C-alpha cells in the first residue's frame, strides 16, 4: 500500500460497529474484564488504549517497524529510550542535537551513570574513533537540529552491526513520508510527534518505533512500567494530523526550496543551510537515503543586530519555538531551543548569535518571502 494511503487509513482496524470513519476517542482509564482470567485486550490505559493502539500501529506501519509506542512528548520518548541502558554504558551521538536532547543527556542521564561521546556523525571516521568497549549505541539526528547536517544511515548501520550496537535515529524532521531509517538498518526511530506528525501546533506527542521484536519487547516493558503514555484525545489529534501528512510535507517542501533559493540571494544573509539545495555538502546522501528534503531551513544573518531585527519585524511568520506545523515559525536557537547547550559546544557546531531556524508552513510562498523581505529591510 502506498504511504499516502497508509496516512489516511492507518492500520485499517475498526474498533466499533458504528461505521465511524474517524477512530473513536476511548476516554477511559480502565476496562472491564468479561470474566476471571479473560480480557478484551485492553485492561488499563497506561498499558494500552484502543485509540492509542490504532495510532501506534499506524506509525509502526508508516516506518515499517514491528511496534511503535506513543508518548506524552518527544522528551518522554527519549527518557524511556535511555532506560534501555545501564550505568557505565556509553552512547555515541551527533554533536549537533536538539537542545532538549542534549539537556536530557547531560542533565539527567549522566547522573544516572551514562556517558556520551558527541561527534560529527556525518563523518564515519569520527564515529569509529569514538567507539569504546563500553559503547552500546549510536544516536543520530539526520538532518540535525539546527545545522541540517546529514548522516549516512546505511553506512552507520553497517558499523553498528559489526560492533553489535543499537542504531537510534531521530526522524522528526523528515518523517516516514520522506525517510524510513529502519529500511536503512536502524534499530529504533525517535519522533517528536508534536511536529510534522501532528502538524497543527496543537498537541504534544512523541514516538519510539522498534525495528525488531526483541528491542520492541524491552521498550514495551519500560513503557508500561514508567507510564509516559499519550492520552486518548491527544492520540486522536495525532491520528487526525497524520491523515494530511503526505500533502503537507510535499507542499511545505516545495515552499521551503523557494525560500531557501531566495535567501541565498539576499545581501544580509551570510549562509543558508537547507539540504534541498544542490550546494549543501550532503545533498547527494540525502537524495540516496530519502525521497525528500523537508521544510526546515537554518540561515545566518550578516550580523547579530540583523538577526534580532528580523525576529522582531516578521509579522506573518511567528517568532516561536517548535516546528513542523501549518504555521511558519522562526526560532533563535541561541536563546531558545539550544540555550542550555554550553557555549563552547554551541560555537563549535555553528550556533551563533547570527543563526536563525525557519520551519516553513503552508502559507503562500510569496507571502512568506514578502514577510522576510520586509523584516530584512530589503
Amino acid at each position: 500500500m502506498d504511504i499516502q494511503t497508509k496516512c489516511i487509513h492507518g492500520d485499517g482496524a475498526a474498533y466499533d460497529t458504528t461505521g465511524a470513519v474517524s477512530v473513536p476517542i476511548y476516554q477511559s482509564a480502565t476496562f472491564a474484564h468479561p470474566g476471571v482470567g479473560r480480557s478484551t485486550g485492553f485492561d488499563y490505559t497506561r498499558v494500552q488504549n484502543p485509540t492509542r493502539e490504532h495510532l501506534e500501529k499506524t506509525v509502526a506501519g508508516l516506518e515499517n517497524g514491528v511496534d511503535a509506542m506513543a508518548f506524552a512528548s518527544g522528551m518522554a520518548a527519549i527518557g524511556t529510550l535511555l532506560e534501555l541502558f545501564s550505568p557505565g554504558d556509553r552512547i555515541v551521538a551527533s554533536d549537533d542535537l536538539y537542545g532538549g536532547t542534549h539537556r536530557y543527556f547531560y542533565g539527567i542521564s549522566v547522573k544516572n551513570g551514562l556517558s556520551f561521546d558527541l561527534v560529527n556523525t556525518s563523518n564515519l571516521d569520527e564515529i569509529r574513533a569514538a567507539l569504546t568497549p563500553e559503547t552500546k549505541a549510536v544516536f543520530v539526528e539526520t538532518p540535525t537540529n539546527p545545522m541540517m547536517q546529514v548522516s549516512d544511515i546505511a553506512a552507520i548501520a553497517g558499523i553498528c552491526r559489526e560492533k553489535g550496537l543499537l542504531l537510534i535515529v531521530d526522524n522528526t524532521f523528515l518523517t516516514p513520508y520522506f525517510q524510513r531509517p529502519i529500511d536503512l538498518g536502524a534499530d529504533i526511530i525517535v519522533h517528536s510527534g508534536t511536529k510534522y506528525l501532528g502538524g497543527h501546533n496543537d498537541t504534544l506527542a512523541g514516538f519510539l518505533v522498534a525495528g525488531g521484536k526483541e528491542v520492541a519487547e524491552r521498550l514495551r516493558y519500560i513503557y508500561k512500567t514508567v507510564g509516559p503514555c499519550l492520552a486518548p484525545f491527544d492520540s486522536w489529534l495525532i491520528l487526525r494530523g497524520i491523515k494530511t501528512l503526505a500533502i503537507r510535507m510535499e507542499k511545505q517542501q516545495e515552499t521551503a526550496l523557494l525560500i531557501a533559493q531566495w535567501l541565498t540571494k539576499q545581501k544580509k544573509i551570510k549562509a543558508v543551510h537547507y539540504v534541498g539545495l544542490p550546494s549543501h555538502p550532503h545533498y547527494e546522501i540525502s537524495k540516496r537515503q530519502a525521497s525528500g528534503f523537508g521544510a526546515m531551513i537554518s540561515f545566518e544573518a550578516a550580523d547579530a543586530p540583523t538577526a534580532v531585527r528580523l525576529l522582531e519585524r516578521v509579522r506573518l511568520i511567528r517568532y516561536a519555538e517548535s516546528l513542523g506545523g501549518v504555521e511558519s515559525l522562526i526560532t533563535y536557537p541561541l536563546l531558545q531551543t539550544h540555550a542550555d547547550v554550553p557555549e563552547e559546544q554551541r560555537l563549535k557546531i555553528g550556533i551563533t548569535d547570527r543563526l536563525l531556524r525557519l520551519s516553513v508552513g503552508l502559507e503562500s510562498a510569496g507571502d512568506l518571502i514578502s514577510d522576510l523581505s520586509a523584516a530584512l529591510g530589503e
Side-chain angles (χ1 to χ4, degrees):
M1 186 183 295
D2 187 86
I3 192 167
Q4 296 187 38
T5 305
K6 284 185 178 181
C7 286
I8 301 296
H9 293 285
D11 74 336
Y15 288 106
D16 68 0
T17 58
T18 66
V21 173
S22 177
V23 175
I25 303 169
Y26 288 85
Q27 194 65 44
S28 181
T30 191
F31 301 85
H33 294 271
V36 176
R38 297 163 60 197
S39 171
T40 62
F42 301 98
D43 303 316
Y44 192 62
T45 280
R46 172 168 48 79
V47 179
Q48 192 51 285
N49 174 282
T51 313
R52 192 169 76 241
E53 181 180 74
H54 186 81
L55 171 62
E56 290 176 343
K57 288 185 175 180
T58 295
V59 172
L62 292 174
E63 286 282 17
N64 293 333
V66 302
D67 193 13
M69 283 136 271
F71 295 80
S73 70
M75 294 314 304
I78 287 175
T80 299
L81 167 72
L82 291 170
E83 291 296 329
L84 286 173
F85 304 100
S86 301
D89 289 349
R90 303 188 73 89
I91 298 173
V92 173
S94 302
D95 58 4
D96 180 21
L97 286 171
Y98 165 55
T101 303
H102 188 283
R103 181 174 60 241
Y104 201 104
F105 283 1
Y106 288 94
I108 304 295
S109 295
V110 165
K111 74 174 177 59
N112 293 335
L114 302 187
S115 298
F116 299 89
D117 298 294
L118 302 185
V119 302
N120 177 1
T121 51
S122 300
N123 186 323
L124 299 179
D125 290 335
E126 287 196 29
I127 294 174
R128 292 190 184 96
L131 299 179
T132 73
E134 292 75 35
T135 304
K136 303 300 180 187
V138 177
F139 184 107
V140 172
E141 279 186 12
T142 183
T144 57
N145 181 3
M147 300 307 297
M148 309 301 162
Q149 300 295 306
V150 176
S151 297
D152 188 328
I153 298 171
I156 298 172
I159 295 172
C160 289
R161 283 194 300 272
E162 178 187 339
K163 301 294 184 180
L165 310 176
L166 289 174
L167 174 55
I168 303 157
V169 178
D170 188 322
N171 199 31
T172 298
F173 275 14
L174 291 187
T175 82
Y177 183 71
F178 282 143
Q179 179 173 267
R180 288 177 286 284
I182 286 173
D183 291 353
L184 297 167
D187 298 290
I188 301 171
I189 295 171
V190 180
H191 279 285
S192 172
T194 309
K195 312 306 193 292
Y196 288 104
L197 295 180
H200 290 78
N201 290 321
D202 56 10
T203 192
L204 299 178
F207 293 92
L208 294 178
V209 185
K213 183 178 179 181
E214 181 181 352
V215 73
E217 290 175 349
R218 292 169 64 194
L219 286 169
R220 271 285 169 198
Y221 178 81
I222 299 167
Y223 182 71
K224 74 175 183 179
T225 302
V226 178
C229 58
L230 189 63
F233 180 64
D234 297 287
S235 297
W236 181 85
L237 284 173
I238 301 296
L239 277 166
R240 184 191 63 171
I242 289 174
K243 287 180 183 291
T244 60
L245 177 66
I247 194 167
R248 284 188 286 107
M249 294 299 292
E250 291 285 0
K251 181 60 178 177
Q252 285 169 284
Q253 174 180 247
E254 176 186 321
T255 302
L257 178 58
L258 293 173
I259 292 173
Q261 292 170 336
W262 178 84
L263 285 167
T264 62
K265 301 172 185 176
Q266 306 311 303
K267 293 181 294 183
K268 295 181 181 179
I269 301 302
K270 180 181 178 182
V272 179
H273 309 288
Y274 177 61
V275 293
L277 292 173
S279 58
H280 191 282
H282 305 137
Y283 179 76
E284 292 301 327
I285 294 175
S286 297
K287 285 177 62 179
R288 185 168 69 245
Q289 70 183 17
S291 59
F293 302 108
M296 295 300 301
I297 305 169
S298 288
F299 59 97
E300 300 172 40
D303 50 45
T306 299
V308 171
R309 190 163 57 248
L310 188 149
L311 289 168
E312 294 181 341
R313 287 183 176 180
V314 286
R315 293 293 177 264
L316 183 62
I317 300 168
R318 307 304 295 273
Y319 172 28
E321 296 191 45
S322 202
L323 59 98
V326 295
E327 301 88 0
S328 293
L329 303 178
I330 194 165
T331 302
Y332 201 22
L334 176 72
L335 299 181
Q336 293 177 291
T337 56
H338 293 71
D340 289 335
V341 176
E343 181 180 15
E344 181 180 357
Q345 178 67 18
R346 286 201 310 264
L347 294 176
K348 176 186 174 185
I349 60 179
I351 302 175
T352 68
D353 56 6
R354 304 185 308 274
L355 184 75
L356 301 172
R357 191 194 72 188
L358 176 64
S359 170
V360 178
L362 287 178
E363 303 92 343
S364 156
D367 287 338
L368 293 173
I369 289 171
S370 293
D371 194 32
L372 290 167
S373 181
L376 283 171
E378 300 291 350

